[in-house]
Amino acid sequence: MAKGKKDLDLSTEEKIMEAARKVFTEKGYAAARTRDIAEESGINLALLNYYFRSKEKLFELVMLERVNKLFGAIIPILNEESSSLEEKIEGIAGSYIDLLTEHPDLPIFVLSEIRNRPEKFAALVNARDRVTKSVFMKQLIERKLSVSPFHILINLLGMTVFPFVGKPVLSKLIGKEAEFDELMKQRKELIPMWIKMMLN
Amino acid sequence: MAKGKKDLDLSTEEKIMEAARKVFTEKGYAAARTRDIAEESGINLALLNYYFRSKEKLFELVMLERVNKLFGAIIPILNEESSSLEEKIEGIAGSYIDLLTEHPDLPIFVLSEIRNRPEKFAALVNARDRVTKSVFMKQLIERKLSVSPFHILINLLGMTVFPFVGKPVLSKLIGKEAEFDELMKQRKELIPMWIKMMLN
DNA sequence: GTCTATATTCCGATAGAC
DNA sequence: GTCTATCGGAATATAGAC
């Protein structure tokens, strides 16, 4: 079974899903073995196929969950009708940093699996219109910036998400894990401040 | 020689390395098959082992190259003695955007392989002192910022590198490939401008 | 539903002819 | 040095007893 978590009241199916989330996210699809998942969940290898039919099908379920988790943290904020542009920026930076502090390897997992099989998973994140036609983008356009609104979106995501993508390298530069987390906590207020400077 | 080029005068060993660079970088170590590499290089599978002994050894050579390419573009600039802080910022943004426009999947490849096997590859990028004690960091500290200099470094790298890490998703939002490249070209001048704003 | 044992496929590596 | 053919192990998936 998993690390801190208990498997006390989980159904067998849930135990397998829980283990699959962990193993796939840590190692990626290709390097993950169904035996790892079976062992991690404390059940037998045959049961994995009994419940999920194949490694591929199990992975698709996990991937769908992870994509929704990663993009579900931002899309609703982008489309809020009543909040200001500044409030949205604060909301995105804050909720993303909270989410990624808890799940640091979420972005690199999702992005690298999409890169590995774009034909299969790029459609999952078919957020084209939900982003480009979002309230957030409309509000950015209203500001009559001298640059494309995409630059602002890229900067917001880059400053927020990149430190977690680069964490395996950056945390070595910075020193202790706790210091990394402290810096990220500071960024919840700093990033909105910096982005607002770019709006003038 | 890269994509457009032909393999005309390449030695067998170079043809295999060339194919290995391509296949490993595109699919990652675990998903790459030595048969893919052999086919891509137009030679036989046995020759791969004849020249490189194993998949693992071949991968180590490729990984070393890629890490040096990725970090070699920034470390020397960080340690220039004679250039100003502003010039270093322009140099890093400019040379990184040029490099990554040509090799967009370099960062996600390197970062995800380091994450997969930190015990093996984290040492490769043992740039701790070369970064934290760099001229660039000293120059940042001299500015007496109200925030940690690491924030500035993270912002510079985040705004520069993240768009390429997120390219599989971002390019779908933006539209055509050419528009993505045009935005990146603009960022060579925009990023230094934004970073300089953060120094005040 | 759950297990053990086994079938099947795939892949890295090698033997041996040329 | 280069090839064809094959070995041997590893990993996914299934059969069948309980």
Side-chain angles (χ1 to χ4, degrees), chain B residues 45-109:
Chain B
L45 172 59
L47 274 183
L48 186 151
N49 290 285
Y50 174 78
Y51 280 103
F52 296 95
R53 276 236 7 120
S54 72
K55 177 187 180 183
E56 178 74 18
K57 293 233 189 285
L58 176 56
F59 177 73
E60 284 168 9
L61 291 176
V62 171
M63 184 72 179
L64 183 62
E65 269 191 6
R66 304 318 260 180
V67 167
N68 283 339
K69 191 161 192 118
L70 187 61
F71 295 95
I74 177 178
I75 304 274
I77 297 179
L78 289 180
N79 280 297
E80 286 171 1
E81 287 288 346
S82 58
S83 63
S84 70
L85 181 58
E86 280 77 4
E87 287 167 337
K88 288 186 178 62
I89 291 167
E90 290 161 12
I92 290 170
S95 69
Y96 246 178
I97 288 175
D98 285 342
L99 174 67
L100 300 182
T101 297
E102 198 173 353
H103 306 283
D105 45 11
L106 194 51
I108 199 163
F109 167 73

Side-chain angles (χ1 to χ4, degrees), chain A:
Chain A
M1 72 221 69
K3 44 320 171 65
K5 304 297 211 48
K6 294 292 141 283
D7 59 345
L8 294 183
D9 327 359
L10 292 181
S11 67
T12 299
E13 194 172 347
E14 261 309 315
K15 282 193 280 189
I16 297 171
M17 267 301 281
E18 187 62 33
R21 269 187 280 269
K22 178 168 188 280
V23 175
F24 278 136
T25 306
E26 277 177 4
K27 325 223 297 193
Y29 176 79
R33 300 178 314 155
T34 52
R35 281 172 163 80
D36 298 335
I37 297 172
E39 188 181 1
E40 174 76 24
S41 56
I43 55 91
N44 189 274
L45 171 60
L47 275 181
L48 187 151
N49 290 285
Y50 174 79
Y51 279 103
F52 296 96
R53 186 106 190 116
S54 74
K55 176 187 180 184
E56 177 75 17
K57 293 233 188 283
L58 176 56
F59 177 73
E60 286 169 8
L61 291 176
V62 171
M63 185 70 180
L64 183 61
E65 268 191 9
R66 305 317 260 181
V67 167
N68 283 338
K69 192 162 192 117
L70 187 61
F71 294 95
I74 177 178
I75 303 275
I77 298 178
L78 289 180
N79 281 297
E80 285 171 2
E81 286 290 345
S82 57
S83 64
S84 69
L85 180 59
E86 279 78 3
E87 288 167 335
K88 287 185 180 61
I89 291 167
E90 290 161 11
I92 290 170
S95 70
Y96 246 176
I97 288 176
D98 286 342
L99 173 67
L100 299 184
T101 297
E102 199 173 353
H103 305 283
D105 46 11
L106 194 50
I108 199 164
F109 167 73
V110 169
L111 291 172
S112 73
E113 294 297 337
I114 287 179
R115 186 212 47 162
N116 286 346
R117 294 192 267 168
E119 74 291 352
K120 184 168 190 94
F121 292 119
L124 262 190
V125 53
N126 190 1
R128 177 94 207 262
D129 285 356
R130 273 180 300 169
V131 172
T132 57
K133 298 182 178 174
S134 65
V135 178
F136 178 82
M137 290 299 275
K138 285 195 180 71
Q139 287 173 319
L140 270 180
I141 291 169
E142 284 169 8
R143 297 299 175 100
K144 311 244 181 240
L145 303 173
S146 59
V147 299
S148 163
F150 279 122
H151 283 304
I152 307 298
L153 179 63
I154 291 172
N155 290 349
L156 175 56
L157 294 177
M159 292 199 289
T160 305
V161 177
F162 177 79
F164 296 95
V165 176
K167 189 175 179 181
V169 173
L170 289 176
S171 66
K172 287 217 175 310
L173 296 183
I174 291 167
K176 294 199 296 282
E177 185 83 0
E179 293 182 35
F180 179 88
D181 287 349
E182 170 61 21
L183 283 179
M184 293 308 114
K185 190 176 158 221
Q186 294 170 5
R187 293 177 75 80
K188 289 203 274 185
E189 299 197 343
L190 290 172
I191 291 170
M193 186 191 74
W194 289 317
I195 296 287
K196 285 173 201 171
M197 286 170 44
M198 299 175 190
L199 297 179
N200 297 325

Side-chain angles (χ1 to χ4, degrees), chain B residues 144-187:
Chain B
K144 310 242 183 246
L145 303 172
S146 57
V147 299
S148 163
F150 279 122
H151 283 304
I152 307 298
L153 179 64
I154 291 172
N155 290 349
L156 175 55
L157 293 177
M159 293 199 289
T160 306
V161 177
F162 177 79
F164 297 96
V165 176
K167 188 175 179 182
V169 173
L170 289 175
S171 65
K172 286 215 175 310
L173 295 183
I174 291 168
K176 294 198 295 281
E177 185 84 1
E179 293 182 34
F180 179 89
D181 286 349
E182 169 60 21
L183 282 179
M184 294 309 113
K185 191 176 158 221
Q186 293 170 6
R187 292 177 76 81

